[in-house]
Amino acid sequence: MPSDTRPATEVARPSSGSRWRSRRLAAGQEALGGLVALALSVIALRHVLATARVDLLWYDGDSVLLPLVERSVQLGQPFEWAMSPALFFFPELPVYLLCSLVTATPQQALALNGVLVLLAVYALVRAAANELMPAARRSARIAVSAVALGLVTLLVLTESSATATSLELASLLLTTTYYYGAVLAMLGSAVLVLRAVRAGRASGTVLVVLGLVAAFTTASNPLYVPWSGAPLVVTLVLLALARRLPWRPVLLLAGTVTAGSVVGYLLRIPLRPFVSLDPSTYVQPSRAGATLRFFAALTDSRAGSAAGDAGLLLLFVGVLLSVGGTVWAWRVRTSRTVLVAAALPVVTVVAVSVGVVVAGSETPRYLEPIVTAPLLALVAVAELARTAVRRTRVHRPRRGIRLVLAMSATGVLLAGIAAAPSTVRAVAQARYDPAACLDRWSDSRDVVGVGQFWTIRPLAAYASNNVQLLQVRDTFETYPWLVDLGAYRDASPTFVVIGSRDLWTTPVEDSLGAPATITHCSGFDVYDYAGTAGAAVLRRDVVGSADDIRRERGF
């Protein structure tokens, strides 16, 4: 009689139907996690649109850089951009151009870009969870990643001012020109390092990708080095010295990050014509004391409201998770990946905080890693907690946690669904009224004008293509900062935009004479010099100074 038993290997092998159900369950879980991340991103965006922070997203002089680049490309102007030390060539410009292809206005493209950045943060934390929690259920890894993005969203909800010069750092991730590329590269580099540490060796693929990320990000934005490259190298070397990591993979990883960063700096040599200031000009150690007082005042100002207190508390929680996670991981001698993921944020936060003060920089956005680096520590602490609970064999609390997470996910999804219609409507209907006034004045004529940085940049980004605006100093010389110098070639400016907050050393009429007409718009006036002697002065001073700057830069 044939036996009813089968070989053990055959019994252990899952059937094709079982594998299909398993893959479908995994896909469903990942899709649910993605939907929660999307809902959190929409909630964050809706808050920004409903507060004064929307000006920073859509109408700030820095924030409109990429819309201006895209507009310049559409007009076929020579690509002769005068950027800051951050060039935004990788990944910011390609991502924005893709967003602009599927949207109708700069506001829509900027909003879509912001949502994609938050989704990318979730995806990178999700990848880190795979390396840190390999034995955990997929649902647990997804839940921890969603909680990490939820922490960022909560921070965004505490931020509502219109200025970048504050300790409101999380919402900067939604903008295109406040270094989100370096933030994502920081998280991506950490994931690659964690993969190598978990495997116990640095594979060729990991080293190549890590080197490319370091090289391209450094070439575009040298902040990669103090934000990511240096903290990674220091963390790995310190743990190797403490005999918690083997030297071979540490040397390979540290060498790759260092070599990639050096290559990135070398790539900046041919890109020098695009750089307006050398990064070294931002380093002023003599101002360290003043910088410390500046950030103390910012902290005091941030603590002046309940929302500000909540934001500072959330930042403190992130730092506490990093420090506490490092101590916990060290004492229990947990897996190497968990120790690295907990220690790296500590090194990053210390390096960035001390570095900003020592450099004498009064620029709060350089502290942005203190928002995102602790997300790695959050995942590490979650894995430490999971293994601690598992050892005690306490299962009922786990079911309670699952219930809480399920209810939280449901609440987030419902809130995202509720916020989505008004968010889409606000983005679709967004218009910049001052630009509409300028368009009415131009009456579809092809006109070229000039003005100062903070007044004309949003006008230049949102006005019709027949209206061109050139950026000048109060002396009517070209101001080569985040502008396309190619737009000045053979230009014939005939009007001046004078903002209500502009400061002119010499009154415009004293420099150019009386205008032919003056048109009043909200926040600015248009002085039309067409057909007057002032137009010739504008052409001489503006276009002539731009020609000199282009020659100096080698364009």
Side-chain angles (χ1 to χ4, degrees), residues 45-46 49 54 57-59 103-112 115 420-431:
L45 177 62
R46 185 70 192 97
L49 298 184
V54 69
L57 176 66
W58 281 342
Y59 308 120
T103 53
T105 66
Q107 290 100 327
Q108 294 173 21
L110 290 168
L112 175 60
V115 169
S422 60
T423 304
V424 171
R425 187 164 54 251
V427 173
Q429 296 177 354
R431 298 293 183 270

Side-chain angles (χ1 to χ4, degrees), residues 441 447-451 456 467-472 488 491-497 527 538 542:
W441 169 82
V447 290
V448 180
V450 303
I456 70 156
V467 178
Q468 184 178 344
L469 290 167
L470 306 178
Q471 190 170 290
V472 298
Y488 293 74
S492 298
T494 59
F495 69 94
V496 181
V497 174
Y527 281 35
L538 280 176
V542 177

Side-chain angles (χ1 to χ4, degrees), residues 386-404:
R386 186 192 70 85
T387 53
V389 171
R390 188 176 182 84
R391 290 193 192 99
T392 63
R393 300 184 182 277
V394 178
H395 297 289
R396 288 185 178 179
R398 287 177 54 192
R399 286 195 288 269
I401 291 174
R402 290 179 187 174
L403 178 61
V404 169

Side-chain angles (χ1 to χ4, degrees), residues 434-485:
C437 180
L438 189 60
D439 288 340
R440 288 193 297 272
W441 169 82
S442 70
D443 195 25
S444 300
R445 295 172 295 142
D446 290 330
V447 290
V448 180
V450 303
Q452 294 189 21
F453 183 92
W454 296 108
T455 298
I456 70 156
R457 288 183 68 80
L459 293 172
Y462 293 101
S464 299
N465 285 343
N466 62 288
V467 178
Q468 184 178 344
L469 290 167
L470 306 178
Q471 190 170 290
V472 298
R473 304 180 188 274
D474 62 355
T475 57
F476 290 107
E477 293 180 340
T478 297
Y479 180 31
W481 186 256
L482 307 181
V483 294
D484 186 4
L485 295 171

